[in-house]
Amino acid sequence: RPPRSTLFPYTTLFRSMIGYHFNKRITAGLGWNHRFPVNAGDLSIKQRTRVYGARTYTDFSVGRYLSIRAEVECLNSPVFSLPKQDISHREWIWSAMVGLKREYKISKSLRGNAQILYNLFDPHHKSPYVDRMNMRMGIEILLRKPPKDTHH
């Protein structure tokens, strides 16, 4: 696995996800991930090292703002050859992560979150993540159903 500075010196991540609340404790969903590594010199996007793919997740609430999170994803990522750390080719790489998600309220329809996830599945050490332990932070827009009109 290449050193951090070689793999993703600066990365912009766009992730869209949609989830469904099955009940008060369980939420599941799916989404798309796209990482754009940026060249620090001229701020251009390094196309050869971009990472993209699909992800599915399940959250199990254990408190008002705390949940256990599990994810499975398949990302198209560059694979590096050793010992030169050059990109040899691209592959679809599977990973499975589990950990904790902490949410915090920003406004009525906006919620922030922080996640600590451990990558359980990294066959052949090709994961696009530098470490097995990952920290993520994000913002969620809450879409709620309007209340049912009981007056007809």
Side-chain angles (χ1 to χ4, degrees):
R1 188 169 298 155
R4 291 174 207 271
S5 60
T6 304
L7 184 56
F8 304 112
Y10 300 98
T11 303
T12 301
L13 172 65
F14 293 99
R15 179 175 28 182
S16 58
M17 302 194 68
I18 189 164
Y20 181 77
H21 290 283
F22 288 95
N23 56 44
K24 288 185 177 186
R25 289 192 175 253
I26 299 173
T27 302
L30 51 97
W32 185 259
N33 231 12
H34 209 123
R35 290 188 224 161
F36 297 95
V38 177
N39 184 341
D42 62 3
L43 299 180
S44 63
I45 295 173
K46 299 169 81 174
Q47 292 292 334
R48 292 185 63 216
T49 55
R50 68 193 166 102
V51 176
Y52 56 88
R55 170 183 293 151
T56 183
Y57 74 94
T58 301
D59 287 335
F60 180 79
S61 177
V62 292
R64 185 169 179 182
Y65 296 108
L66 186 66
S67 59
I68 297 170
R69 185 174 184 94
E71 297 184 354
V72 174
E73 63 187 7
C74 187
L75 300 176
N76 186 288
S77 176
V79 176
F80 294 86
S81 63
L82 297 175
K84 289 184 174 183
Q85 308 295 341
D86 293 331
I87 298 172
S88 63
H89 63 285
R90 299 185 68 83
E91 281 185 32
W92 286 96
I93 299 169
W94 287 89
S95 63
M97 299 180 141
V98 294
L100 295 175
K101 176 182 170 185
R102 173 75 164 99
E103 297 177 346
Y104 50 93
K105 187 175 180 179
I106 296 172
S107 70
K108 187 175 181 179
S109 61
L110 205 58
R111 191 167 46 199
N113 73 69
Q115 302 171 27
I116 297 175
L117 300 168
Y118 183 78
N119 191 353
L120 296 171
F121 185 70
D122 185 9
H124 312 293
H125 306 290
K126 294 180 181 180
S127 173
Y129 299 100
V130 177
D131 296 313
R132 280 197 178 258
M133 187 67 71
N134 291 275
M135 171 79 179
R136 298 181 186 157
M137 297 181 77
I139 295 176
E140 299 174 14
I141 300 170
L142 302 176
L143 303 175
R144 300 188 193 277
K145 286 187 205 176
K148 292 182 180 177
D149 184 14
T150 56
H151 306 311
H152 291 275

